[in-house]
Amino acid sequence: MKDIQPIVFEGVDSSQPLIIAGPCSAETEEQVLCTARELAANGIKIFRAGIWKPRTKPGGFEGVGAPGLEWLKKVKAETGMYTSTEVATRQHVEQALAAEVDMLWIGARTSANPFAMQEIADTLAEHHADVPVLVKNPVNPDLELWIGAMQRIYNAGIHRIGAIHRGFSAYGKHLYRNMPQWHIPIELRLRYPNLPIICDPSHIGGKRELIAPISQQAMDMGFNGLIIESHCSPDEAWSDASQQLTPEILNFVLNTLVVRDSRQSTENLALLRQQIDQIDNELLEVLSKRMRVSREIGQYKKEHRMPVVQAARYNDVIRTRLENGKEMGMGIDFLRTVLMAIHEESVRQQIEILNDRRP
Ligand code: PEP
Ligand code: MN
């Protein structure tokens, strides 16, 4: 994907994050138009609505299908907003292109399926389609699968391509509906610096109150935009009711977002970065000193035929460090992870000494 092109729409300020908003699903013409009017009045330029809905369980609302495309046309004609919808099959792509939907996205269940992705890519290529396409991350945390899905679309001639980070499913109950696993989109950014990455806080959070903090985090991490579900009466939504915001609340959330300018690199920042480089070097020196001492302890244990791990000592080390670290204002979970990793490496090194037959 050497020639990724930016996704810009005429009349949409490309120096600002790309904001896409609209209901999870198109339900009725009235619901689509009333939501679209309110969003447009608040300055939203790109409208989303699911016409075909992939549902995990049968019996859920599976979308209104092709008739809903007529409502999207009305949204465009009446409000001037650009429109976008999810496609998962050849027929969806053909019908969405025929209805002149301005941008397509591919859902998380579809992007996990290379056969479906190839079918979509082939259809786009056959129709010489020239629409931007956003690809959601697959439900499972597999960066290669996500990249593969995008490559298929890119190879079909679609160079206005972007990624949507919508979180990854995990077993059991969690704060998030889908775990953000931020390191995955960050790695994607490092591998494809020109690829726009849009955050979907609605499907990550699954709850209204999480939309603002997740959106802010995405902005702080330099994401290029947000896709947020918004419905004129969210409690009555036919899908994803708990995560949709009214256009009014969405407007409030967007107005309170702090968008940082990632292009600015001030002198102060350069100085702070120098400091970080220095501190990291010191950290490495301290760590290697600790490992040296730990190896000496290993030698002692070997000579005195002592076991490598002594539970009481281990608990003591972790407890006292956690207490100290907490007083210094550090997060307990983070500290525990670091301390356990250091201890694990010490144990590994001591076992190496124990197994070394040399005197
Ligand atoms: C959606 O955007 O409404 C949707 C179904 O999302 P996902 O594919 O991320 O679950
Ligand atoms: Mn949804």
Side-chain angles (χ1 to χ4, degrees), residues 89-160:
T89 66
R90 165 177 289 275
Q91 204 192 18
H92 297 166
V93 174
E94 285 174 346
Q95 291 181 334
L97 290 176
E100 295 179 348
V101 173
D102 300 292
M103 180 161 64
L104 306 178
W105 84 80
I106 290 157
R109 291 154 193 80
T110 309
S111 66
N113 178 348
F115 292 123
M117 286 309 304
Q118 195 55 51
E119 177 181 313
I120 293 168
D122 291 343
T123 315
L124 289 165
E126 282 162 30
H127 290 268
H128 305 288
D130 184 26
V131 275
V133 177
L134 303 175
V135 180
K136 288 197 169 198
N137 64 259
V139 281
N140 48 324
D142 184 336
L143 179 58
E144 296 309 324
L145 193 56
W146 192 5
I147 291 174
M150 289 187 277
Q151 281 168 338
R152 287 174 202 275
I153 299 297
Y154 181 86
N155 293 342
I158 305 284
H159 290 195
R160 285 185 296 157

Side-chain angles (χ1 to χ4, degrees), residues 26 28-29 51-52 63-74 95:
T28 63
E29 181 172 334
I51 298 287
W52 300 280
V64 289
L69 293 168
E70 296 305 313
W71 310 339
L72 293 187
K73 279 192 196 163
K74 287 194 179 164
Q95 291 181 334

